[in-house]
Amino acid sequence: REWDTDKDSKLSLSELETGAGKEHPPNIADINELARNREKFLIADADHDGLLNATELDSFFSIHVHPKMLEYESRQEMSAIDTDHDGQLSLTEFEAGFPDGIGHDSANEVRDSLTSKEEFALVDKDGDGSINSTEFQRVYSAEVYANHTMTGLLRDLDVDGDGKIALGEADEGFRAVEHTEPLNLWFHSEL
């Protein structure tokens, strides 16, 4: 709201740049960030009116909401760590670029449980020994970590080993993992 100087409930590129500049004096990194933000602004401005409404502003800041923004951000990030500029990440580049892992904060627990080699293998979906841009985009969005978590949850809850979770298995499993309300009661309350 503070940055919306004309109070039209939308942010122009100028308002965004001016507001962000109030946080601290500009330096070289800020100039690079400004150029990046201009590109992101153009991507987020879905109706091309030169202003960001609330939905478009969400796309600007929450890259997973907007596929083109996710693609742009992951391409920028991958380019920054692809030291041999071959469009692929080796294990060495991955480890150097992300010593603490990558992805959204929600993926921290999963990342922390994996070695860098395990994490790399999880991301390298086609198993060719390198991470391409499509694979990197999945990790940047934390999709790969969510898939890994759901696979583990399925394994833990699938008591009879049929690859599916029956309601009874879910009730039992969720109660065992600190849920006090049985799953079937949750389903009924949602109906």
Side-chain angles (χ1 to χ4, degrees):
R1 289 184 211 187
E2 180 182 318
W3 295 0
D4 183 16
T5 56
D6 61 7
K7 306 301 179 204
D8 65 352
S9 297
K10 296 180 179 184
L11 285 181
S12 67
L13 181 58
S14 175
E15 288 170 325
L16 184 68
E17 291 172 350
T18 301
K22 291 179 182 177
E23 302 296 322
H24 52 79
N27 59 36
I28 296 298
D30 291 333
I31 293 168
N32 290 335
E33 187 67 23
L34 184 61
R36 196 169 174 172
N37 283 342
R38 285 178 183 210
E39 288 185 58
K40 287 176 59 178
F41 186 95
L42 295 173
I43 294 168
D45 185 16
D47 60 11
H48 308 290
D49 66 353
L51 303 168
L52 298 183
N53 60 34
T55 302
E56 293 167 333
L57 192 59
D58 190 31
S59 295
F60 183 88
F61 286 109
S62 304
I63 65 167
H64 62 280
V65 173
H66 193 294
K68 287 184 180 178
M69 190 69 70
L70 176 60
E71 181 183 335
Y72 170 78
E73 284 290 335
S74 62
R75 188 176 59 245
Q76 294 293 316
E77 197 69 40
M78 185 169 169
S79 176
I81 62 172
D82 181 15
T83 55
D84 63 6
H85 309 290
D86 67 351
Q88 307 271 330
L89 295 182
S90 65
L91 175 60
T92 303
E93 289 169 322
F94 185 80
E95 289 175 328
F98 302 104
D100 298 322
I102 186 174
H104 292 302
D105 292 337
S106 61
N108 283 339
E109 189 174 316
V110 176
R111 284 196 321 256
D112 291 347
S113 69
L114 300 171
T115 67
S116 60
K117 287 182 183 178
E118 291 170 328
E119 184 177 19
F120 186 86
L122 187 63
V123 176
D124 181 18
K125 191 173 181 175
D126 63 13
D128 69 352
S130 63
I131 297 173
N132 63 39
S133 60
T134 302
E135 291 166 331
F136 187 76
Q137 187 170 324
R138 287 181 57 241
V139 72
Y140 200 72
S141 71
E143 174 191 335
V144 70
Y145 300 109
N147 291 345
H148 179 73
T149 300
M150 292 302 109
T151 300
L153 183 61
L154 175 64
R155 183 188 61 245
D156 293 345
L157 296 179
D158 182 18
V159 176
D160 64 11
D162 67 353
K164 301 174 185 172
I165 301 172
L167 185 57
E169 291 172 314
D171 278 344
E172 185 179 322
F174 281 120
R175 270 189 247 133
V177 275
E178 304 174 347
H179 284 66
T180 56
E181 185 176 283
L183 189 60
N184 63 349
L185 293 178
W186 179 83
F187 276 129
H188 292 294
S189 70
E190 293 296 309
L191 297 176

